[in-house]
């Protein structure tokens, strides 16, 4: 039986929405106050959802501890208390909108989630009470059957 499992966490980061090829005035037309030269920050709320078959032995899709560790080690720790544009190389070239941050998180987590025996289903990034973004992980060219999935890696007791 297929099921979904979601964990919620948070991180704080600053960013500036601006294309380097445009003037401050042009960026302000596109991004408004978010284009201000010194940037601004958010307390981001992050929800990551995985999907997979429920293991009849463990009753789980994947080990929750391993899932949480992947999100903490690969997303929260590297992004928390950073200025995304300057501290995260990916965002030197990509405008760190909520959409692009969610895509970045999806791309960072996709393979590590597979390694714990599940598939990444969705990344939801809530930037403020006014806006959030959901990015779904698709496997167009990949076909993962239950037989192809790795055994769940369980945390030591």
């Amino acid at each position: 039986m297929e099921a979904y499992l979601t964990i919620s966490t948070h991180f704080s980061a600053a960013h500036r929405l601006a294309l380097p090829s445009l003037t401050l005035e042009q960026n302000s037309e596109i991004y408004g106050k978010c284009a201000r030269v010194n940037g601004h920050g958010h307390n981001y709320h992050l929800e990551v959802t995985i999907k997979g078959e429920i293991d009849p032995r463990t009753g789980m899709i994947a080990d929750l501890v391993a899932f949480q560790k992947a999100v903490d080690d690969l997303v929260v720790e590297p992004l928390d208390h950073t200025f995304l544009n300057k501290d995260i190389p990916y965002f030197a070239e990509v405008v760190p909108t909520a959409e692009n941050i969610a895509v970045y998180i999806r791309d960072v987590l996709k393979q590590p989630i597979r390694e714990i025996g599940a598939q990444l289903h969705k990344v939801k990034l809530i930037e403020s009470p006014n806006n959030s973004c959901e990015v779904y992980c698709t496997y167009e060219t990949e076909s993962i059957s239950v037989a192809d999935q790795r055994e769940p890696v369980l945390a030591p007791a």
Side-chain angles (χ1 to χ4, degrees):
M1 173 184 196
E2 187 173 76
Y4 298 81
L5 177 65
T6 301
I7 59 170
S8 298
T9 189
H10 60 89
F11 63 92
S12 299
H15 66 165
R16 176 178 184 239
L17 303 184
L19 292 164
S21 59
L22 301 179
T23 66
L24 177 59
E25 292 75 24
Q26 291 168 320
N27 277 310
S28 295
E29 286 177 24
I30 297 169
Y31 300 110
K33 292 179 183 181
C34 297
R36 289 182 177 166
V37 177
N38 293 316
H40 63 284
H42 294 281
N43 293 315
Y44 291 95
H45 177 79
L46 175 64
E47 296 175 2
V48 179
T49 302
I50 60 173
K51 71 177 179 176
E53 293 293 319
I54 298 174
D55 182 307
R57 182 177 62 85
T58 66
M60 300 187 298
I61 297 169
D63 179 26
L64 182 60
V65 173
F67 179 22
Q68 185 73 56
K69 182 171 175 32
V71 172
D72 287 345
D73 291 353
L74 300 171
V75 177
V76 176
E77 182 58 33
L79 297 183
D80 193 35
H81 287 78
T82 63
F83 185 51
L84 296 170
N85 306 65
K86 296 186 184 278
D87 297 330
I88 306 299
Y90 178 83
F91 294 114
E93 302 295 323
V94 175
V95 179
T97 60
E99 297 90 335
N100 284 333
I101 298 167
V103 167
Y104 172 80
I105 293 168
R106 180 201 63 196
D107 293 347
V108 165
L109 289 177
K110 190 173 178 180
Q111 184 58 35
I113 295 303
R114 287 188 73 185
E115 291 172 5
I116 65 168
Q119 290 183 37
L120 185 61
H121 174 66
K122 178 177 77 172
V123 171
K124 180 175 184 179
L125 186 67
I126 303 165
E127 189 174 67
S128 75
N130 299 326
N131 70 296
S132 65
C133 175
E134 294 182 21
V135 174
Y136 290 83
C137 189
T138 58
Y139 294 82
E140 300 93 10
T141 60
E142 302 168 352
S143 177
I144 301 172
S145 69
V146 176
D148 293 333
Q149 290 183 4
R150 294 183 182 190
E151 284 294 312
V153 179
L154 301 176

